[in-house]
Amino acid sequence: MNPLKFTNNIQSGITVISNEFIDQYMGKADGEFVKIYLLMLRLMNQGSYKGPEQLADVLDLTQKDVLRALKYWEKEGLLTSSSSELERTAEEKTSTKETMEAINPDIAITVPAVPDKIEITPKELSNSIDQTDLGQIIYMAEAYIGRPLSHKELISFYYMENQLHFPQDLLEYLVEYCVTKGKKSVRYMESVAINWYQQRIDTVKKAKEQSAAYTQNVFPVMKAFGISGRNPAPSELEFINKWNEMGFDTSILEEACNRTMLSTHQASFPYANRILEEWKKQGVRTLDDIHALDQNFHASKPANGNGIPDPKKASNNAFHNFEQRSYDYDDLEARLHNLS
């Protein structure tokens, strides 16, 4: 069977799907896989495909679900290696394996591995609903969503209760939290649950604290790093929460991000973390404190014969020492990025 080809030589506003796809592939594929394939086809036809995160956001799916679908279609021969190169790269970046702390205990952020869904029989699912608190949660969810849940959606709630180990009150809060945001998709709820699991949120109190903290500096930091179109990854959010706990206001965090971008030309949370930790040691509280440190640093540089500070001379200023240590931050961040 020849691989199907994407084409944009068609009338604007129309996406053409091959009969071969309908006859040979659609019937045996998972429904979500078909939705992902069709959306990807449409986006690629109009030249606006940006990657798996875009598909996950539009369809209210987890990125892991999207990557699984893309791998399936590649296995079926409908995506070539070149067209799925971005997806494989993204899959490596979003691996659920824990980040190794051995790289550098001072800056490593660990993210717990997310368990895969186990296969359960309809009888096991029914028993769990009848004999545990899951039935009450499902009843509440159906009331909020406004319809009975499908078998697949019931399995999602089973997964959240039995494998992510969410207690009843946390599951109830999860449903309320998502519905108040205008998100009634169970897929979206499961995605939020996985995100909470990775952040070790296992009580309603922690979830509410996270919700409050999420609005504190998350969007300014993401904007300062030039990141848009997605939510922060769990490891990134842990860094931001850590910075909030340091007591820095938004302007300080933005300054650290700006300096990180100037130094590394990329959104390096570990690098920004080193800057902020050094500022914390120096007692920084305002932008004026940072400017004072800068002035002291420049004033302490030995001058050359023309009275101009000699850039070749090393500085003993503690604020700048962290850049002169033996760490290779580009290599360090690349290793962290691949493992997170």
Side-chain angles (χ1 to χ4, degrees):
M1 187 69 65
N2 295 326
L4 303 183
K5 297 181 179 179
F6 294 112
T7 176
N8 57 7
N9 297 321
I10 55 177
Q11 181 180 345
S12 175
I14 297 176
T15 300
V16 175
I17 187 70
S18 168
N19 287 335
E20 183 181 1
F21 174 81
I22 297 174
D23 297 338
Q24 303 293 331
Y25 297 94
M26 187 177 69
K28 64 180 181 179
D30 180 271
E32 298 291 352
F33 291 4
V34 173
K35 288 166 58 177
I36 291 168
Y37 180 86
L38 294 177
L39 178 60
M40 185 177 180
L41 177 61
R42 180 190 187 283
L43 295 173
M44 292 189 75
N45 279 341
Q46 66 183 27
S48 59
Y49 176 62
K50 299 177 182 179
E53 292 178 352
Q54 181 187 21
L55 301 176
D57 183 59
V58 172
L59 296 174
D60 274 341
L61 300 173
T62 66
Q63 193 171 157
K64 186 176 180 181
D65 290 332
V66 172
L67 295 172
R68 188 183 301 114
L70 295 176
K71 287 186 67 175
Y72 171 83
W73 290 122
E74 183 174 8
K75 183 179 178 181
E76 290 293 312
L78 300 191
L79 293 178
T80 64
S81 296
S82 59
S83 66
S84 61
E85 180 178 356
L86 177 61
E87 286 73 27
R88 290 202 308 276
T89 301
E91 184 174 23
E92 293 172 1
K93 292 179 180 179
T94 56
S95 169
T96 57
K97 293 181 180 178
E98 287 200 10
T99 303
M100 295 174 60
E101 291 186 292
I103 297 175
N104 189 328
D106 293 332
I107 64 175
I109 297 292
T110 60
V111 179
V114 179
D116 292 328
K117 286 184 180 179
I118 60 174
E119 296 292 335
I120 61 171
T121 65
K123 184 177 180 180
E124 290 174 328
L125 178 60
S126 179
N127 288 339
S128 179
I129 294 174
D130 294 338
Q131 300 174 10
T132 68
D133 296 328
L134 187 57
Q136 182 176 344
I137 296 167
I138 290 173
Y139 177 81
M140 183 193 75
E142 290 178 336
Y144 274 115
I145 296 174
R147 59 171 175 79
L149 299 184
S150 67
H151 178 74
K152 200 168 188 177
E153 291 171 331
L154 294 176
I155 290 178
S156 290
F157 275 98
Y158 178 91
Y159 171 72
M160 289 184 278
E161 182 187 55
N162 290 275
Q163 292 185 257
L164 300 185
H165 305 294
F166 275 31
Q168 179 183 358
D169 60 342
L170 183 58
L171 272 175
E172 291 175 351
Y173 178 75
L174 169 69
V175 175
E176 294 172 354
Y177 170 80
C178 293
V179 171
T180 56
K181 292 183 64 177
K183 302 289 188 178
K184 294 185 178 182
S185 166
V186 176
R187 283 284 191 181
Y188 182 85
M189 295 177 186
E190 182 180 321
S191 178
V192 172
I194 290 173
N195 188 274
W196 287 359
Y197 178 86
Q198 290 179 310
Q199 296 177 58
R200 298 178 176 82
I201 294 175
D202 52 10
T203 66
V204 173
K205 180 181 178 181
K206 290 180 181 179
K208 289 182 177 180
E209 289 174 350
Q210 188 269 355
S211 298
Y214 192 87
T215 60
Q216 180 183 356
N217 293 321
V218 170
F219 295 108
V221 166
M222 299 293 278
K223 182 178 179 181
F225 272 145
I227 301 174
S228 61
R230 69 170 178 84
N231 292 325
S235 58
E236 295 169 341
L237 191 57
E238 286 202 36
F239 272 120
I240 298 174
N241 289 337
K242 178 181 178 181
W243 301 340
N244 289 335
E245 292 173 0
M246 290 181 180
F248 290 127
D249 63 27
T250 303
S251 63
I252 302 295
L253 301 187
E254 290 175 332
E255 182 67 16
C257 295
N258 292 336
R259 296 191 180 205
T260 297
M261 295 297 291
L262 289 173
S263 298
T264 68
H265 308 292
Q266 57 185 324
S268 172
F269 282 79
Y271 193 94
N273 187 64
R274 292 295 297 178
I275 293 177
L276 290 167
E277 285 184 339
E278 198 65 36
W279 285 349
K280 183 72 173 179
K281 293 177 183 177
Q282 295 289 334
V284 167
R285 285 290 177 269
T286 66
L287 289 176
D288 289 339
D289 294 336
I290 297 174
H291 296 155
L293 285 176
D294 290 343
Q295 291 175 356
N296 291 337
F297 167 70
H298 290 299
S300 67
K301 282 187 175 181
N304 58 23
N306 298 321
I308 300 174
D310 188 350
K312 296 182 180 180
K313 299 294 184 180
S315 170
N316 292 324
N317 186 290
F319 166 65
H320 287 271
N321 279 348
F322 77 93
E323 293 189 8
Q324 300 169 4
R325 293 173 185 168
S326 59
Y327 298 117
D328 183 343
Y329 281 99
D330 289 335
D331 176 67
L332 177 59
E333 186 188 0
R335 290 158 60 193
L336 280 169
H337 196 53
N338 288 333
L339 289 167
S340 62

